[in-house]
Amino acid sequence: MPPFKDEHILIIAPGSQVTLAQLGLPESFTPARYRFPTRMFPGEKKGEYEPYKIRERRVEVKVNGNGMQKSAEKEDVEMKDELPATESTPAQTTSDAPKTEGSDETKIEGDNGTEGSGEKEGGTQTVEEIFYEEDIASDEGAIFPMQNGRIVDWPCFFALLTHVYNTLSPPFHTPIILLAEPVWTLRDKEAITQFVFEKFKTPAFCLMDSAAAVAYGYGVSTATVVDVGKDKVDVTAITDFVVNEHGRGTALEGCGGDYLTDRLQELLGSKGFTREMCEQLKRSPIVELLPAGTPLPGAAATSRQEPNPVAAAQQNGQSENQQPKQNGTAENEEEEGVLDVAAIVSGGNTSEYLAAREKDKGTKKGVDAAKPVRLPNSKKEKATFQFQEFVKLEPEKDTPSGPGRFIRQTRDVEVGVERFLSATPKTNSGDRLTSGILEDIATQIHHTIHAVPEASKRSDLWDSLIIVGNGSKIKGFTQALLATITQKFVLSPSGTIFTSEIPSNFSTPLPTGGTNTPAPGLPGPMHYPGGHGVNPLLVAATHSNNPAAPNMPPGTPSMDPSMSHHRSTGHSQMPTSVKTVKPPEYFPEWKEQTATQPAAQGNPGLNGPPGPAASGGHRGMEEAAFLGAQVASKVVFVVDQGISKGFMSRVEYNENGPSAIHEYVM
């Protein structure tokens, strides 16, 4: 098989709302070049689908006796100028075949108009014609083939893949890599493999797990990937680039970005906020998750909208108003002191000069005191965001309606402290509080990590959290989730509850009384003194999977070398620290920056329907799975070229069928 080229590789990443795609690998990996809405519309025939809404428009058109539009004859001004004296020509032509034209008039018009009236009007008739136009801004009647990551409509999903493939129009020798959702079953992967090989005739196909792609993007081999999507969350533990299926949290419903929107609508619905307004509010920079224990603005005197600058500096514990005074005023005073000496020496009128100087200083202090301090968003009781809506323009009077045109209207909307409560528990019918989104995600992370068979890897998984997904783009989400995990599961490393595991014959320093350290001289390096203050149930729970040594209390780890592979190598039951993985810095295009996707410069359908949902925003590491797909495709298709079975070739598909794709899934 000839080697593949970078410019021929096709990457497709289907999602519940947006499908990312790109043809070719750039020199420096960039975010996805194309963004297709993951929805299709029913076509004219059953089983066919269209990428956009097709609307039927009926227009009355005037035609002459030959079936030609009269408006077209009027627009041809040059023809009329060339034949100025042929006014009788149309009449003569009409009179040549009166019966035929009369029958045509009767069929087309069907009115009470007569043949003679048609001749008087130059043989024109009014008929109704049907025009079809694409409404790229509408989701009316759309079919979404994926819900919560699951494929619920296979024909529509295959039609979407065909639309993406035809739009990018790759060459014949094009390998395809497709990111698989964690919730896809083995049968789903076989069906997709069969469709890709049979429909696109690709020479090579790679089906890669999206969580593994995130690990490739971050360049780590062991990590806990938390993918926060639109309406679900996936939690995956990866050890040495291997996905642990046991205990994996797939499609955890009610924990995605829609939860935040629903909560905002629940809080602001009584104030006239629609769901679209809450959705745009969630994506605005004024929505934030505050750290635990932070008082809401307006709950204390520190959150006034226009505070005194000196009081604000004292209350915030900052010296931002003092620093300018130290850096600027002190230096100015020294400079003014020099000027005083020069003025006194040269002028002689000392009293007048000092009086004018004091007057200027008093004026400056008054101006500085009146200047308002710009508070951060977390200190403001109220803030505004710009709500954008698209309004369809109505055609003018006596003007034939053309394709639908939309105009963007923007207005400022004020929001209170509700913008900080998007992750709080929702209230169901019956005033019953549910658990918050952060608590549910933290619980799933704990379950997934402790389902990993290798206990020695669990502490590394706690210290290698990767939080991705567009549902986590809200400011403060990662910090709030880490705080929730710390509060619920993390044990303080300063505690001495596990000191019974430490083989030591040295006494504990005097302040602890030596109650938690084995006494010197007792038999056995790991002897457990029952009366030394350590909870035996806690020790037994910590080492419940380890066989006890002879003459040792239950739960004490065995020191037999032959059983060393069963020993506990760390405190795997509860973590002592939780950390996130630092994003790579060698992909500048993936750093937090505003990357707009203007729909006006190309086909608007590639960027989704016009509106705030497709107007750009941060394209950071929330979509790191697509970055990992680029890295993996470079390694699999170009560097490795199938030696390590990174992809399935056309020959292997013909020999083994679609079920063999499980041997190549990354």
Side-chain angles (χ1 to χ4, degrees):
M1 178 181 295
F4 299 106
K5 297 182 180 180
D6 292 354
E7 58 268 19
H8 292 166
I9 298 176
L10 176 61
I11 305 175
I12 303 177
S16 298
Q17 288 294 309
V18 178
T19 296
L20 309 180
Q22 180 169 304
L23 177 61
L25 299 179
E27 184 176 354
S28 178
F29 298 148
T30 61
R33 201 168 298 169
Y34 296 94
R35 308 176 65 85
F36 296 84
T38 309
R39 46 98 175 117
M40 300 292 285
F41 297 89
E44 185 177 0
K45 297 181 180 180
K46 185 177 181 180
E48 295 182 354
Y49 297 89
E50 298 290 341
Y52 313 112
K53 176 69 176 179
I54 305 298
R55 295 191 180 276
E56 183 181 290
R57 182 167 54 93
R58 299 179 179 271
V59 181
E60 292 184 354
V61 180
K62 293 182 179 181
V63 298
N64 58 13
N66 296 328
M68 299 180 62
Q69 293 185 10
K70 185 178 179 181
S71 58
E73 296 179 357
K74 288 185 177 181
E75 293 177 358
D76 194 357
V77 182
E78 296 182 359
M79 182 63 69
K80 291 182 179 181
D81 292 339
E82 291 179 1
L83 302 174
T86 57
E87 296 294 336
S88 61
T89 304
Q92 296 175 359
T93 305
T94 306
S95 62
D96 292 340
K99 294 182 180 181
T100 305
E101 291 187 359
S103 59
D104 290 342
E105 289 175 5
T106 305
K107 291 180 180 180
I108 296 177
E109 186 173 6
D111 298 334
N112 53 3
T114 61
E115 179 182 340
S117 62
E119 293 177 357
K120 291 180 181 179
E121 296 179 2
T124 60
Q125 305 295 329
T126 301
V127 297
E128 190 179 60
E129 292 190 2
I130 300 176
F131 293 89
Y132 296 94
E133 59 184 18
E134 294 180 349
D135 189 353
I136 61 176
S138 175
D139 282 342
E140 179 185 355
I143 300 176
F144 292 85
M146 294 181 62
Q147 296 179 6
N148 296 332
R150 297 180 176 89
I151 301 176
V152 296
D153 193 321
W154 283 99
C156 183
F157 180 76
F158 290 151
L160 174 66
L161 293 182
T162 305
H163 170 61
V164 173
Y165 186 88
N166 294 337
T167 302
L168 273 63
S169 186
F172 181 75
H173 193 68
T174 296
I176 300 177
I177 180 171
L178 190 141
L179 294 185
E181 289 286 334
V183 74
W184 288 358
T185 63
L186 300 180
R187 183 66 187 92
D188 296 342
K189 297 176 182 179
E190 294 176 8
I192 295 174
T193 302
Q194 181 178 0
F195 175 80
V196 170
F197 276 108
E198 298 294 339
K199 179 70 175 179
F200 303 145
K201 310 298 181 182
T202 179
F205 178 62
C206 174
L207 197 59
M208 187 176 188
D209 192 281
S210 60
V214 173
Y216 269 80
Y218 272 79
V220 294
S221 60
T222 300
T224 303
V225 180
V226 182
D227 189 352
V228 185
K230 177 180 180 294
D231 44 16
K232 53 90 179 179
V233 168
D234 298 316
V235 182
T236 307
I238 300 176
T239 56
D240 297 329
F241 290 110
V242 177
V243 175
N244 293 270
E245 296 292 346
H246 181 65
R248 186 179 190 184
T250 57
L252 187 63
E253 299 183 9
C255 295
D258 280 351
Y259 179 96
L260 307 176
T261 306
D262 295 340
R263 179 56 177 159
L264 289 175
Q265 187 176 13
E266 186 180 56
L267 295 171
L268 299 171
S270 59
K271 298 182 180 180
F273 277 68
T274 62
R275 181 172 179 80
E276 180 61 27
M277 294 177 66
C278 295
E279 181 68 24
Q280 295 189 30
L281 171 63
K282 181 189 67 175
R283 303 183 184 189
S284 66
I286 66 173
V287 173
E288 184 178 353
L289 299 184
L290 300 179
T294 304
L296 295 177
T302 58
S303 58
R304 288 177 296 176
Q305 289 291 94
E306 296 181 358
N308 190 313
V310 179
Q314 294 176 354
Q315 293 166 355
N316 298 336
Q318 301 174 353
S319 59
E320 50 186 344
N321 293 328
Q322 299 175 1
Q323 290 178 356
K325 183 177 180 180
Q326 295 173 357
N327 299 333
T329 309
E331 295 177 0
N332 293 338
E333 287 180 355
E334 293 178 0
E335 294 177 1
E336 290 175 358
V338 177
L339 294 175
D340 287 346
V341 175
I344 291 173
V345 173
S346 60
N349 48 357
T350 307
S351 59
E352 297 178 1
Y353 181 81
L354 292 177
R357 180 173 175 272
E358 292 295 332
K359 184 178 180 180
D360 293 341
K361 289 174 63 178
T363 305
K364 290 182 180 180
K365 289 182 179 180
V367 173
D368 294 340
K371 185 183 299 184
V373 175
R374 186 175 181 180
L375 296 176
N377 177 60
S378 59
K379 301 291 183 181
K380 295 180 181 179
E381 186 176 356
K382 294 183 179 180
T384 59
F385 77 102
Q386 289 187 341
F387 172 62
Q388 298 179 355
E389 56 184 346
F390 284 82
V391 180
K392 187 173 182 179
L393 291 178
E394 297 294 337
E396 298 181 0
K397 190 177 182 181
D398 299 333
T399 302
S401 59
R405 295 182 57 192
F406 293 83
I407 183 174
R408 178 183 296 178
Q409 293 183 352
T410 305
R411 56 189 176 96
D412 293 337
V413 180
E414 189 177 60
V415 188
V417 295
E418 294 87 356
R419 66 187 190 275
F420 302 117
L421 306 175
S422 59
T424 55
K426 291 193 298 185
T427 304
N428 291 338
S429 57
D431 297 332
R432 182 177 62 87
L433 291 177
T434 61
S435 58
I437 176 177
L438 299 177
E439 287 77 7
D440 292 343
I441 297 177
T443 304
Q444 181 61 52
I445 293 174
H446 179 268
H447 172 73
T448 300
I449 292 180
H450 287 277
V452 175
E454 300 180 61
S456 60
K457 296 286 186 179
R458 296 173 186 172
S459 60
D460 296 336
L461 293 173
W462 281 112
D463 291 337
S464 303
L465 286 181
I466 301 178
I467 302 174
V468 295
N470 290 323
S472 64
K473 290 169 62 175
I474 182 173
K475 185 178 180 181
F477 185 91
T478 301
Q479 292 77 9
L481 180 58
L482 293 179
T484 304
I485 295 175
T486 303
Q487 182 181 4
K488 289 176 66 68
F489 302 111
V490 174
L491 294 176
S492 175
S494 61
T496 57
I497 58 174
F498 291 115
T499 52
S500 62
E501 296 185 41
I502 304 175
S504 172
N505 288 328
F506 297 97
S507 61
T508 305
L510 188 59
T512 63
T515 57
N516 290 332
T517 302
L522 292 177
M526 294 292 290
H527 177 71
Y528 170 71
H532 278 209
V534 182
N535 189 344
L537 297 178
L538 183 58
V539 177
T542 308
H543 306 90
S544 59
N545 295 328
N546 298 321
N551 301 325
M552 300 291 283
T556 306
S558 173
M559 299 303 295
D560 186 0
S562 63
M563 303 296 292
S564 59
H565 61 283
H566 292 291
R567 285 190 58 224
S568 173
T569 57
H571 308 301
S572 61
Q573 296 299 320
M574 302 297 286
T576 57
S577 64
V578 178
K579 301 177 184 177
T580 57
V581 179
K582 185 179 180 182
E585 298 181 354
Y586 37 83
F587 297 114
E589 292 83 359
W590 285 89
K591 292 184 178 179
E592 290 292 338
Q593 57 185 355
T594 302
T596 57
Q597 300 276 353
Q601 296 181 2
N603 191 345
L606 302 183
N607 301 318
S615 61
H618 289 298
R619 292 285 180 261
M621 295 301 290
E622 291 85 7
E623 296 176 353
F626 197 84
L627 172 61
Q630 297 180 72
V631 176
S633 60
K634 178 74 172 181
V635 174
V636 170
F637 292 124
V638 180
V639 179
D640 185 71
Q641 297 184 8
I643 298 178
S644 303
K645 285 192 172 183
F647 62 85
M648 187 178 186
S649 65
R650 177 78 183 182
V651 176
E652 293 165 339
Y653 172 78
N654 293 335
E655 293 178 353
N656 304 318
S659 60
I661 189 61
H662 308 307
E663 301 177 7
Y664 304 90
V665 174
M666 298 182 61

